[in-house]
Amino acid sequence: MVAEIKLPPVLEIIRGNIVKHGNPLAMKGTEVAAWANELKLPESGDLLFYTGGEYQLLPFIDSLVNTMTHLDQGSKVFSLMMGARNIINKTGINAEKLYASVLAKDRDRFNSISYKAAIILQKLGYDFCYAGKKELYSGALLSELGFCEDMKSYAVKVAEVLKQSQAKTIVCLSPHAAEVFKFVYPKLIQDFPFEIRTFVELVWERRHRLPAIKSAETVVIHDSCRLARELEIDEQLRDILQSVGVPFLEAKCNRKWTTCCGGPNKLLFPDISHTVASRRVEELEETGADLILTSCPYCLSALQNGQLKEDKTKIEDLIEFLYRGFEA
């Protein structure tokens, strides 16, 4: 007799929310898309701006993981929490979002990154559309965690929303979304006619239009493994910094040989994730840089969580850094 394999509760919750609600925390589309309200973006066009809610949701996911993993799952507190989740769900309120919202940090910051990315692309002369409240999470976690059957059916829903935009090209803020759209969706969806690009690529192509950034900070690049290895985007980051007049340092492990940020371990092994992230932060800080730059929401979050209290090095997303030039 084969023993039943039980998945950690946090995986079951995230899996169920993606399949049923279209994102890992079952947040409403209006909440995920609120960052774009004042921009009044069209819902159709040749170029589709795609966030997948990844920057917006990440602080909440971090809080959910912390809540679920730091409780003894055999304790009365955990039992009460899971019981409360069932009761609250019956009233139409998602308990995971409730728990996560109480503990979430950096909500405003992460939510603003999508807005800043859109402004940067507009300043560079790109016209694009956005699905707004209809936008669904890419399902990358379903694919990465091995929920293959769920991914097959979920991909159909996502593809339908993408096709409604009538776009020819999709620009992804997250390399995880770009990877799953570029390599996984064509195998699952018979008609998936989109060209998949990343935010970094679009900026790189018009980098000479970027305003110079005056900064006394020394910068080191943390290459996202998805961006550098799977999508083969690394020199573009360096070209962009050169274009805005910012010198940069290199960590010992860079480009395709970049060290993991610890993010992939977070759901199952948060303690290991923290250790890996701390080691990567230490590697980056050994360069003597004042500022660590990355281009992935998961790297940004993981590296921040890996910082020790005494660490003074700042960590920013490339989007935040480039936006400085348009604020000056």
Side-chain angles (χ1 to χ4, degrees):
M1 181 177 180
V2 179
E4 181 182 359
I5 299 175
K6 292 186 177 181
L7 294 172
V10 67
L11 290 192
E12 286 290 6
I13 290 171
I14 288 176
R15 172 192 186 184
N17 281 342
I18 293 172
V19 172
K20 185 176 180 180
H21 301 286
N23 64 69
L25 281 180
M27 293 182 73
K28 295 180 180 178
T30 51
E31 295 174 301
V32 177
W35 66 269
N37 287 345
E38 66 180 72
L39 296 180
K40 308 297 182 183
L41 298 172
E43 293 187 2
S44 62
D46 288 340
L47 178 63
L48 176 65
F49 185 86
Y50 181 81
T51 76
E54 293 187 64
Y55 278 101
Q56 303 96 298
L57 289 171
L58 201 59
F60 295 90
I61 294 175
D62 286 344
S63 295
L64 172 61
V65 171
N66 289 336
T67 301
M68 297 294 288
T69 56
H70 286 82
L71 285 176
D72 177 0
Q73 297 189 16
S75 70
K76 291 183 179 180
V77 173
F78 186 82
S79 297
L80 288 172
M81 176 176 155
M82 297 304 288
R85 178 167 67 87
N86 294 332
I87 294 172
I88 294 175
N89 282 345
K90 290 179 181 179
T91 68
I93 303 172
N94 182 272
E96 287 80 61
K97 189 179 73 173
L98 177 63
Y99 296 136
S101 297
V102 172
L103 301 174
K105 298 178 181 178
D106 296 329
R107 290 192 300 269
D108 293 339
R109 177 191 177 187
F110 276 80
N111 198 52
S112 73
I113 292 177
S114 294
Y115 173 84
K116 291 176 179 178
I119 294 297
I120 290 170
L121 292 183
Q122 286 182 334
K123 294 289 187 181
L124 293 179
Y126 289 103
D127 293 319
F128 50 85
C129 60
Y130 174 56
K133 64 182 181 181
K134 294 186 296 184
E135 184 184 61
L136 298 175
Y137 168 67
S138 69
L141 278 173
L142 293 178
S143 178
E144 292 167 8
L145 294 172
F147 297 126
C148 299
E149 293 304 313
D150 289 327
M151 185 63 192
K152 288 179 182 178
S153 56
Y154 182 73
V156 174
K157 299 177 184 178
V158 177
E160 180 58 33
V161 173
L162 297 176
K163 290 176 181 178
Q164 288 174 10
S165 71
Q166 302 177 22
K168 298 176 182 177
T169 303
I170 301 172
V171 54
C172 301
L173 294 192
S174 167
H176 288 255
E179 180 195 26
V180 76
F181 283 154
K182 191 168 186 175
F183 301 118
V184 177
Y185 271 68
K187 298 176 181 177
L188 301 178
I189 305 297
Q190 187 173 5
D191 178 24
F192 195 73
F194 306 101
E195 179 185 9
I196 306 302
R197 309 296 301 281
T198 65
F199 171 83
V200 173
E201 289 175 290
L202 264 63
V203 171
W204 178 79
E205 290 175 359
R206 298 187 181 181
R207 61 191 181 280
H208 299 301
R209 300 186 187 185
L210 290 168
I213 296 177
K214 295 180 180 180
S215 174
E217 297 168 316
T218 52
V219 172
V220 62
I221 298 171
H222 165 73
D223 292 284
S224 156
C225 58
R226 288 289 192 275
L227 204 62
R229 294 176 189 151
E230 279 70 33
L231 299 171
E232 300 184 335
I233 296 172
D234 49 26
E235 290 303 325
Q236 293 90 329
L237 294 168
R238 290 149 178 86
D239 289 345
I240 289 170
L241 290 182
Q242 289 178 348
S243 293
V244 298
V246 175
F248 54 88
L249 303 170
E250 294 283 7
K252 292 179 181 178
C253 298
N254 59 61
R255 296 174 173 82
K256 290 180 176 61
W257 299 103
T258 184
T259 303
C260 180
C261 69
N265 302 314
K266 186 180 296 183
L267 292 175
L268 291 174
F269 310 108
D271 292 338
I272 294 176
S273 174
H274 178 76
T275 299
V276 172
S278 296
R279 289 180 177 177
R280 180 53 173 169
V281 170
E282 184 178 353
E283 287 178 4
L284 295 165
E285 289 181 338
E286 285 176 354
T287 64
D290 303 308
L291 176 65
I292 297 169
L293 283 183
T294 188
S295 298
C296 170
Y298 300 99
C299 290
L300 179 61
S301 175
L303 292 176
Q304 285 188 159
N305 290 337
Q307 279 191 302
L308 303 177
K309 291 183 179 180
E310 59 268 25
D311 289 336
K312 296 182 180 180
T313 308
K314 294 196 298 182
I315 302 175
E316 282 189 355
D317 192 277
L318 178 69
I319 293 168
E320 297 176 291
F321 187 71
L322 294 180
Y323 189 76
R324 294 188 193 183
F326 294 102
E327 289 182 306

